[in-house]
Amino acid sequence: MRLHRLSITAFGPFGATQEVDFDALSSAGLFLLHGPTGAGKTSVLDAVCFALYGAVPGVRQSPGASLRSDHAPADLPTEVQLELTVGGRRLEVTRSPAQPRPKKRGDGFTLEKAQSRLRGHDPERGWQALSKSHQEIGEELTRLIGMSRDQFCQVVLLPQGDFARFLRSDAEARGKLLGRLFDTRRFAAVEERLAELRRGGEARVIAADERILALAQRIAQAAGPAGAEATPIAARPGEPGLAEAVLEWAAVARSTARERLDIAHRVLTGAEGRQRTARHALDTERELARLQERYEETVRRAAALEERRPEHDRCQEELERARKADRVAPALELREEAELAHRRADAALDRARAQLPSDLADAGPDQLAELERRFRQELGGLESARRAEARSAGIDGERERLERESRADDATVRDADAWLAGWDAVHAGLRERIATAQEAATRAERLAGLLAPARRRLEAARRRDALADELLAAGETLAEARERALDAHESWLGLRERRLRDIAAELAAGLVDGTPCTVCGSAEHPAPATEGDGHVDRATEETALTAHRRAEETRARAEQALGLVRERHATAHAEARDAAAPAAADGSSAAVADGEAQGAPGPSVDELRDTVDRLAAEHAAEHLLAAGTHAAREALDAAEREHADRLELRQEAERRAAARTSRREALDREQTALHDELAAVRGASGSVAAHADRLTRRVELLAEAAEAVRAERDAARRRKEADDRLSDAAFRAGFDTPEAAAATLLDAAAQRDLQHRIDAWQAEAAAVADRRAERDAREAAEQPAARPSAAQGAFETAEWLLREASSALAAADQRCGELTRLSRQAADEVRMLGPVRQEYERVARLAGLAAGTSADNERKMRLEAYVLAARLEQVAAAATARLQRMSSGRYTLVHSDARTGGRRAGLGLHVVDAWTGSERDTATLSGGETFFASLALALGLADVVTEEAGGVRLDTLFIDEGFGSLDDQTLDEVLDVLDSLRERDRSVGIVSHVADLRRRIPVRLEVVKERQGSSVRHRL
């Protein structure tokens, strides 16, 4: 993978667009990325990571952090564009994070979604768009690069601080880092899967044994009380012989159940015969009782039917008269409708005549129609006058509008003159406000440059004071550990000396008559030595030796902890005494720094906090004042725009006043002519519209009255015709008068009720006649009364005996079936248990081996730890090749798989010193040694991770900080090693602010911190 070009816009500290030409920087193979602290060196690497993975490195991706530059203008969007070659393809990826942008309409901002674009270069067609999907672009780049974001940041952007901590960390911390880089989660998943399989297999074996026991208990219950008492099964899950005992007991229970089933069959046969005889006798008595009761019921129904005969005759006569009256009903309805219509027409005529003049109260329809026609003609002649009157009203409204416009323009001229009178003073005040805010911005920037170092010194002083207490505690812990180690050593030596004094008695304890002595060779042992008082055996000595070794390990860990705390305290002390800290206004800070350089204690936390508070207060005050620069500029621009607007408004108002004068004169002439025309038309009315409304009302009243007269005459004629039809219909139906027919009418519901009552009586009469004709009922009535209750008792006794016999047979049959089913199920469970138990034993052995708990696993290493140990061994071998060159052949990194302090085995890392031949832990390296050891480890890890990720070639690497702790000779050796990385066209970028590197590395990319945001400069 090779980087070609990087474009950064409004990203991090870069307020404008910055271009980085990696092709030009990589031409020399080794280039330097430098600049002052906080300028944005690391932000260049963050931009590369953001372009490839859509996020910055994890250590700098804090929650809520924004990638947008605070220096960028609101209308310039944040964007990163990277051109690179990976997997043989030339690609260009462009990414923009989610960011606010000004609204297109109105004020304020809206949130713009994150965007991504990927283009590929074709030699023939040029750049071609490939995708705009975040997910597709991320998957494609990850596939081509072959590494996750964490792997990329660890391999391509080599952070030296992380590997310095890796050298000093324990096995657990190393395991976490290696697991993240090499993605050994699949091996941990294998361990967990095997453990789950082992637990599942064990549960299945126990469950199968428990099912067999449960089946044995169910077989005993199915065999009945006698079988439950005689069951011999009392085994537990896992005990031998359980399956055989269950199967044997099941066979005995099945044989006993079959014998009981044969006895139940014979008893049931006798009970069925007795039940059939009792059933026949009961049926005979029940039938006789039914026929006797039916005959008595028939007699009662016949008597009741004769009592209702008069009511039946009355209903039949009433129904016949109602059906005759139904033929007169249409004529009655027609007469009522005609009467109602005549009353309505007569009332309407009275209302219409009441609104007419008294001379027209008795006028006929023809006279009213003639008057209506004459008024309509007069109304049609008023249309021209209507238009003239509307135009006259329009002229009045237009003159009022001209007056309002005149008053508004006069007010505009007055306001403009009043505002323009104070323009010069306002303009000068706004310019002075802008100058004051700009001066405050300059002072705030200077104070910000002093505040950041002061805060770093304050934080370092706080760490220094806190670490001083830890340093005392670590020293006391080391003293106690040394004392305990010395006591344990003396105790072990004393016990060893006492054991050696009595070693003869220990050897004599193993002598056997006839067997040669291992010391003198004699087969006779006349006087073997005996144990004296206070004898020490081998186990006691080994226990003391173990305690001594543990005490030594505790002492070594205490010394290591003390060294770490002492180094951290020294670092914090040096940072707190930094001579580049901001000086106080009275020069006191410079004096303090000079005193610390001569060995005096560093400044106290209170002194540094006072300095920070004072600088922060001054900076806040100046920043608040400087914040008004934008508002002051906007106020000046707004005032200038308002000045121009008011001048223009005043000129337009004067032009409109001249045009209104001529318009008023024309309107006055037109209004005079219209008034003369309308005076002749209005007459006694106030307006043409009022005169037209009065004529319209007269026309409507005349039309309504004429229509009412005609309607009343038609209604009277229809009423007369309805009376004639009603009289004729009543006579034909057999009624003397229409009123008699109306009195006889019944509605449909009443007629249906009468018909239902008639039909019910006739149906009952037919049913009684049929019942009287039944011969068997008459004959049963002549016999003695039936006795069904006695027959019922005999039948119930026989039925109960049959149920008892049937229940006994069903229970015996069910017992046989249940025992057969349970026996078959028990045999199936026993047959399936064998393979399950074998599978469980095989999985249990594999799970113990992978978890490190099996006796076959000699080093007690888990599978994941074993894989990580192999990777660490590869990393150590790859790192040693460069470490030996940087240390002039002195140091070698070696991997250790020993278990230390009860922690996981296989992740130890030691350094071998060729000068002394000793092997020691990497945590004991000095600061400079730790740097080039961590650099070698980082480069070695980069090679191994690259190979693990698929062998993707990395043509561009970055190394971040750490060179300031090296002397000149070591720095030359490290640069030689880095220079060797340029083989096969590979380029290396060093990120550092060490001044000496600028002389040694001519090709540089300088990041410059400026007021409007940082910028980059190429030094080729």
Side-chain angles (χ1 to χ4, degrees):
M1 182 189 72
R2 174 176 292 278
L3 306 182
H4 298 293
R5 181 184 60 83
L6 175 66
S7 175
I8 308 173
T9 303
F11 181 89
F14 304 102
T17 300
Q18 303 295 323
E19 298 282 345
V20 179
D21 188 354
F22 284 112
D23 286 337
L25 295 173
S26 302
S27 60
L30 189 65
F31 63 91
L32 177 65
L33 176 59
H34 71 97
T37 301
K41 302 185 296 297
T42 307
S43 296
V44 175
L45 308 184
D46 290 347
V48 173
C49 185
F50 177 72
L52 294 176
Y53 294 95
V56 299
V59 295
R60 293 185 287 276
Q61 185 70 56
S62 60
S66 174
L67 301 179
R68 180 168 176 76
S69 175
D70 295 334
H71 301 281
D75 56 348
L76 181 63
T78 298
E79 183 180 271
V80 175
Q81 187 179 84
L82 177 65
E83 185 179 340
L84 73 159
T85 297
V86 58
R89 299 173 60 186
R90 186 78 171 241
L91 300 175
E92 179 191 80
V93 57
T94 305
R95 292 188 188 268
S96 299
Q99 55 188 308
R101 64 165 177 80
K103 293 182 178 180
K104 296 181 179 179
R105 297 180 179 179
D107 299 331
F109 293 84
T110 184
L111 184 63
E112 184 80 14
K113 294 183 179 179
Q115 298 181 4
S116 300
R117 298 187 301 276
L118 181 65
R119 298 199 303 167
H121 187 269
D122 186 279
E124 298 180 357
R125 295 182 296 174
W127 289 103
Q128 301 291 324
L130 300 180
S131 177
K132 292 185 178 181
S133 170
H134 297 293
Q135 182 177 358
E136 291 181 359
I137 295 175
E139 292 176 353
E140 178 68 11
L141 291 177
T142 302
R143 182 185 65 81
L144 292 174
I145 299 174
M147 289 181 283
S148 64
R149 186 188 67 179
D150 290 339
Q151 290 177 321
F152 179 83
C153 296
Q154 205 74 43
V155 172
V156 180
L157 314 177
L158 302 178
Q160 296 305 293
D162 289 352
F163 285 94
R165 287 191 294 273
F166 182 84
L167 290 172
R168 298 190 179 97
S169 61
D170 55 15
E172 293 294 335
R174 289 173 184 164
K176 292 179 181 178
L177 175 61
L178 293 174
R180 186 173 70 251
L181 293 178
F182 292 106
D183 193 13
T184 57
R185 291 173 295 181
R186 59 187 184 277
F187 300 103
V190 170
E191 297 177 21
E192 181 62 26
R193 179 57 179 164
L194 288 174
E196 291 179 0
L197 292 176
R198 177 182 59 78
R199 291 190 296 268
E202 182 180 7
R204 285 192 294 274
V205 170
I206 294 176
D209 287 344
E210 291 177 348
R211 286 196 300 272
I212 292 175
L213 279 177
L215 287 173
Q217 298 299 327
R218 292 172 61 186
I219 290 173
Q221 293 175 359
E229 295 175 358
T231 177
I233 302 172
R236 295 182 179 179
E239 294 183 0
L242 174 63
E244 292 76 3
V246 171
L247 296 179
E248 181 178 356
W249 165 241
V252 173
R254 290 198 304 274
S255 177
T256 303
R258 291 192 188 97
E259 294 177 358
R260 295 179 180 177
L261 181 61
D262 294 339
I263 296 172
H265 269 297
R266 292 193 294 271
V267 174
L268 179 63
T269 302
E272 288 176 346
R274 291 189 293 272
Q275 189 265 352
R276 285 194 297 271
T277 302
R279 164 64 72 180
H280 181 267
L282 177 61
D283 292 342
T284 301
E285 290 296 323
R286 284 180 175 175
E287 179 64 16
L288 179 60
R290 184 186 69 79
L291 293 174
Q292 291 176 349
E293 183 179 357
R294 181 177 180 85
Y295 184 79
E296 294 175 356
E297 182 184 359
T298 301
V299 173
R300 291 193 300 271
R301 289 173 63 182
L305 186 64
E306 287 300 323
E307 291 178 357
R308 297 202 310 270
R309 182 180 293 277
E311 182 183 0
H312 166 261
D313 296 340
R314 181 184 57 79
C315 290
Q316 190 168 11
E317 181 181 358
E318 186 176 352
L319 180 61
E320 290 176 357
R321 289 179 58 81
R323 286 174 177 172
K324 290 180 180 180
D326 286 343
R327 295 195 292 270
V328 186
L332 286 171
E333 293 178 358
L334 182 62
R335 173 63 173 77
E336 291 177 357
E337 292 177 357
E339 180 65 26
L340 179 62
H342 180 265
R343 287 198 298 269
R344 290 176 179 172
D346 189 54
L349 178 60
D350 292 341
R351 289 194 299 270
R353 290 185 180 279
Q355 296 179 4
L356 295 176
S358 57
D359 55 342
L360 297 178
D362 297 328
D366 296 337
Q367 182 182 0
L368 295 175
E370 177 61 24
L371 289 174
E372 177 189 356
R373 183 185 60 76
R374 194 186 339 163
F375 285 141
R376 286 186 183 277
Q377 291 178 353
E378 184 179 354
L379 184 63
L382 296 178
E383 186 62 28
S384 172
R386 287 176 185 270
R387 291 193 295 271
E389 187 177 45
R391 174 57 184 158
S392 176
I395 292 174
D396 292 339
E398 187 173 355
R399 293 184 62 182
E400 291 178 0
R401 180 181 59 79
L402 292 175
E403 292 297 329
R404 288 195 301 272
E405 291 177 356
S406 178
R407 290 192 297 270
D409 287 342
D410 292 341
T412 300
V413 172
R414 290 193 299 271
D415 291 344
D417 292 340
W419 191 89
L420 293 172
W423 163 245
D424 294 335
V426 172
H427 188 259
L430 290 174
R431 288 190 173 278
E432 183 179 357
R433 178 182 169 189
I434 293 174
T436 303
Q438 289 176 342
E439 294 174 358
T442 303
R443 292 192 298 272
E445 184 176 1
R446 179 180 61 81
L447 290 171
L450 299 175
L451 183 59
R455 284 175 173 166
R456 288 195 297 272
R457 292 189 67 198
L458 175 59
E459 183 62 27
R462 288 172 175 166
R463 293 198 309 272
R464 175 200 64 197
D465 295 347
L467 290 172
D469 297 335
E470 294 184 16
L471 189 61
L472 293 176
E476 295 175 357
T477 302
L478 177 59
E480 294 175 359
R482 286 174 175 170
E483 184 176 353
R484 286 194 295 270
L486 181 60
D487 293 341
H489 184 257
E490 292 178 353
S491 176
W492 170 61
L493 291 178
L495 292 174
R496 180 178 178 81
E497 183 177 356
R498 289 166 57 189
R499 181 179 174 230
L500 291 176
R501 286 200 305 266
D502 296 338
I503 195 66
E506 185 174 337
L507 294 174
L511 294 177
V512 179
D513 291 337
T515 302
C517 176
T518 57
V519 178
C520 64
S522 174
E524 298 180 358
H525 318 295
T530 59
E531 296 179 356
D533 296 335
H535 174 71
V536 177
D537 56 6
R538 181 183 184 86
T540 304
E541 180 191 356
E542 289 180 351
T543 300
L545 178 59
T546 301
H548 163 59
R549 290 175 176 172
R550 290 178 178 172
E552 283 294 327
E553 292 176 358
T554 302
R555 180 193 58 78
R557 288 195 297 271
E559 288 180 350
Q560 180 181 354
L562 179 61
L564 291 176
V565 174
R566 183 180 289 117
E567 181 178 354
R568 292 165 58 194
H569 179 266
T571 301
H573 187 71
E575 292 178 359
R577 296 178 55 180
D578 186 5
D586 55 359
S588 59
S589 296
V592 172
D594 293 340
E596 293 171 359
Q598 297 174 3
S604 65
V605 173
D606 294 337
E607 294 173 347
L608 293 174
R609 184 169 53 247
D610 293 342
T611 301
V612 170
D613 292 344
R614 177 180 55 79
L615 291 174
E618 295 177 0
H619 175 265
E622 296 296 341
H623 183 74
L624 180 62
L625 186 58
T629 303
H630 182 68
R633 291 185 181 276
E634 289 185 347
L636 178 59
D637 294 341
E640 290 176 347
R641 289 194 300 271
E642 186 176 1
H643 177 262
D645 293 342
R646 288 184 179 271
L647 287 176
E648 184 177 358
L649 288 174
R650 191 177 186 282
Q651 294 173 359
E652 291 179 355
E654 292 176 350
R655 288 195 297 270
R656 288 195 298 270
R660 278 194 298 272
T661 301
S662 58
R663 180 58 179 166
R664 283 197 191 96
E665 294 175 354
L667 291 176
D668 290 343
R669 290 192 297 271
E670 185 179 1
Q671 185 70 288
T672 300
L674 289 175
H675 281 171
D676 296 341
E677 179 183 353
L678 291 174
V681 177
R682 290 172 182 167
S685 300
S687 64
V688 175
H691 185 59
D693 289 343
R694 189 174 67 220
L695 290 177
T696 301
R697 177 61 180 164
R698 288 180 178 179
V699 168
E700 292 175 352
L701 291 176
L702 290 172
E704 181 180 355
E707 181 63 25
V709 171
R710 286 191 293 270
E712 192 275 335
R713 291 180 179 179
D714 292 341
R717 178 180 52 78
R718 286 194 298 270
R719 184 181 63 177
K720 177 65 172 59
E721 292 175 357
D723 287 338
D724 296 340
R725 291 181 182 178
L726 176 60
S727 299
D728 184 60
F731 177 76
R732 285 197 302 272
F735 293 99
D736 296 337
T737 62
E739 289 76 10
T744 311
L745 278 175
L746 292 177
D747 57 10
Q751 292 185 22
R752 284 196 302 272
D753 181 63
L754 291 174
Q755 186 64 51
H756 289 164
R757 292 161 67 180
I758 295 171
D759 294 343
W761 190 91
Q762 293 175 350
E764 178 67 10
V768 170
D770 293 339
R771 295 278 288 271
R772 285 180 176 275
E774 294 177 355
R775 178 178 178 183
D776 53 352
R778 290 198 307 271
E779 292 176 352
E782 297 173 355
Q783 297 180 10
R787 298 175 58 191
S789 59
Q792 179 69 31
F795 172 74
E796 289 177 354
T797 300
E799 186 76 14
W800 178 81
L801 293 174
L802 178 61
R803 284 197 303 270
E804 290 295 322
S806 179
S807 298
L809 177 62
D813 185 65
Q814 183 180 5
R815 183 178 296 109
C816 288
E818 183 69 10
L819 288 174
T820 301
R821 184 183 64 80
L822 292 175
S823 299
R824 189 182 301 111
Q825 188 174 354
D828 294 341
E829 290 289 344
V830 171
R831 185 170 52 256
M832 291 187 296
L833 178 59
V836 172
R837 189 180 297 278
Q838 293 176 1
E839 177 69 16
Y840 163 66
E841 293 174 353
R842 181 171 61 256
V843 171
R845 287 195 300 273
L846 286 175
L849 185 64
T853 59
S854 173
D856 297 334
N857 193 329
E858 297 179 358
R859 296 192 177 276
K860 306 300 180 185
M861 292 177 61
R862 293 172 47 235
L863 176 62
E864 183 184 14
Y866 176 79
V867 175
L868 291 178
R871 292 291 186 266
L872 183 58
E873 188 174 4
Q874 294 175 353
V875 172
T880 296
R882 296 186 174 91
L883 179 60
Q884 287 183 340
R885 182 172 179 181
M886 285 187 281
S887 62
S888 300
R890 178 178 179 182
Y891 293 117
T892 301
L893 285 175
V894 295
H895 161 254
S896 174
D897 56 5
R899 180 184 295 271
T900 59
R903 298 174 179 173
R904 71 165 77 184
L907 297 180
L909 191 63
H910 294 169
V911 61
V912 178
D913 191 344
W915 290 4
T916 62
S918 63
E919 179 178 333
R920 53 194 173 100
D921 194 272
T922 54
T924 61
L925 293 172
S926 64
E929 295 169 343
T930 298
F931 168 75
F932 56 73
S934 63
L935 177 59
L937 186 65
L939 295 174
L941 182 63
D943 294 340
V944 175
V945 171
T946 302
E947 182 179 358
E948 173 74 11
V952 177
R953 174 180 172 82
L954 302 176
D955 295 323
T956 307
L957 296 177
F958 294 92
I959 302 175
D960 192 358
E961 291 297 347
F963 294 88
S965 60
L966 304 180
D967 54 35
D968 292 342
Q969 181 180 355
T970 305
L971 183 60
D972 289 337
E973 294 171 349
V974 170
L975 291 178
D976 290 341
V977 172
L978 295 179
D979 193 60
S980 67
L981 296 177
R982 295 186 295 174
E983 299 173 359
R984 294 182 298 173
D985 197 24
R986 174 181 285 183
S987 62
V988 179
I990 298 177
V991 183
S992 178
H993 60 326
V994 177
D996 193 36
L997 288 176
R998 303 177 193 173
R999 176 180 57 81
R1000 299 171 182 262
I1001 303 177
V1003 179
R1004 303 189 302 273
L1005 177 67
E1006 182 181 4
V1007 182
V1008 182
K1009 181 165 54 176
E1010 300 174 342
R1011 178 177 179 180
Q1012 294 80 15
S1014 300
S1015 60
V1016 298
R1017 300 174 183 175
H1018 295 73
R1019 306 293 186 184
L1020 306 176

